[in-house]
Amino acid sequence: MEKNIDIAALGELLIDFTEAGTGADGMRLFEQNPGGAPANLLTVASHMGYRTEFIGKVGKDMHGAFLKKTLEKENIGVSNLMEDDHYFTTLAFVAIDENGEREFSFARKPGADTQLRIFHFGSLSLTDQPAKDATVAAVTCAKEAGALISYDPNYRATLWSSEAEAAENMKSMISYADVMKVSDEESLLLTGETTYEAAADKLLAMGPKLIAVTLG
C-alpha cells in the first residue's frame, strides 16, 4: 500500500440481490446491492474520515466490476482487490418474510472471495503493538484455513532496540512459513551460521518447505 492506511479489511465482497417487490406478472423482483461485512465496515469508516483499504477477490465479471466501482466511489482503496478470471463473484439472494426476517441463498460454489490462496507477510509489522499481535493473529488464521504462508523477515536495525530482539521476534514466525525469502545478512542473523548453505539448511529445519537466500 502506497499510502498510510487507518483500517484494512480482508474477506468477502459480494452482491446481495435483495427482494424488492413483484413485477407486473407477479414474479419477485430482486435489487442489486453491494454487500459483504468487511466492505460494509470500511464504508462506514470511510464516511467517518478514516483511510481504508479492502483486501480480497472478486470475479472478473460485471458484478466484480460493479463492486470495485462501488468501493472507489466510497473512497475505499482497491489496489489490493484482485479480479479472478476463473471464479465468479459471489452472489447472495435475499428473501424477506412477512416478519421482515431475511433468508439467504448463496451462489458460491466456490465464489471468487474464497480463492485467496497465499498469505504473505514481513517482519516490520512485528516491531510494535498493536500491529504485532494483529500480524500473528492473521498468519495463524490463514495457516489454519489452509493458505500457503510466505514470509520475508525484512531486517532493519533501526526499528529494533537490539539485534537480539530482532532475531528473536523474526525467528518466532518461521514455523508458520511454507516459503521464506531472506537476504544473505538475515540468513546468518537468524541462524548463527557462518555460511549461507548452512543457514539455509537450518532454516529449512525450522519448518519452511522452500528457502530463497538472496545474495545482494
Side-chain angles (χ1 to χ4, degrees):
M1 301 179 191
E2 296 181 357
K3 57 183 179 179
N4 292 324
I5 300 300
D6 296 310
I7 304 174
L10 179 150
E12 71 272 16
L13 182 61
L14 49 84
I15 301 291
D16 284 326
F17 281 105
T18 308
E19 190 173 353
T22 57
D25 57 1
M27 301 296 287
R28 284 191 294 179
L29 300 177
F30 289 84
E31 181 180 69
Q32 181 193 41
N33 291 296
N40 291 342
L41 180 144
L42 292 183
T43 300
V44 174
S46 180
H47 289 181
M48 296 173 67
Y50 292 99
R51 295 161 296 184
T52 60
E53 182 84 17
F54 183 81
I55 304 169
K57 185 179 283 192
V58 293
K60 197 168 186 178
D61 49 50
M62 68 171 71
H63 301 301
F66 167 71
L67 290 168
K68 182 177 181 180
K69 185 176 180 179
T70 299
L71 293 184
E72 290 173 331
K73 181 181 176 182
E74 299 294 344
N75 293 317
I76 298 170
V78 295
S79 60
N80 293 281
L81 175 65
M82 294 171 281
E83 298 171 276
D84 198 310
D85 287 318
H86 303 292
Y87 295 92
F88 203 65
T89 300
T90 293
L91 308 179
F93 294 88
V94 188
I96 303 175
D97 66 20
E98 62 274 10
N99 297 316
E101 295 296 326
R102 297 175 300 169
E103 179 183 351
F104 291 85
S105 179
F106 288 93
R108 192 190 193 215
K109 298 182 178 179
D113 61 302
T114 68
Q115 299 305 299
L116 295 174
R117 301 175 182 273
I118 299 175
F119 187 95
H120 176 78
F121 72 104
S123 64
L124 294 192
S125 61
L126 302 175
T127 59
D128 293 282
Q129 295 290 10
K132 179 180 178 179
D133 285 349
T135 300
V136 174
V139 173
T140 301
C141 183
K143 187 77 171 180
E144 291 174 351
L148 185 148
I149 307 299
S150 171
Y151 178 35
D152 178 4
N154 190 16
Y155 177 57
R156 295 292 179 267
T158 56
L159 296 178
W160 299 94
S161 62
S162 69
E163 186 177 281
E165 181 200 23
E168 179 183 355
N169 278 273
M170 291 191 294
K171 284 172 64 175
S172 71
M173 302 304 294
I174 294 176
S175 62
Y176 292 93
D178 299 294
V179 177
M180 188 172 166
K181 170 261 174 190
V182 292
S183 70
D184 42 11
E185 176 190 20
E186 291 157 356
S187 70
L188 304 183
L189 171 65
L190 293 172
T191 62
E193 297 292 341
T194 56
T195 68
Y196 306 133
E197 293 81 2
D201 287 339
K202 195 165 187 177
L203 290 171
L204 284 169
M206 297 180 188
K209 301 176 180 65
L210 175 66
I211 298 291
V213 181
T214 60
L215 303 177

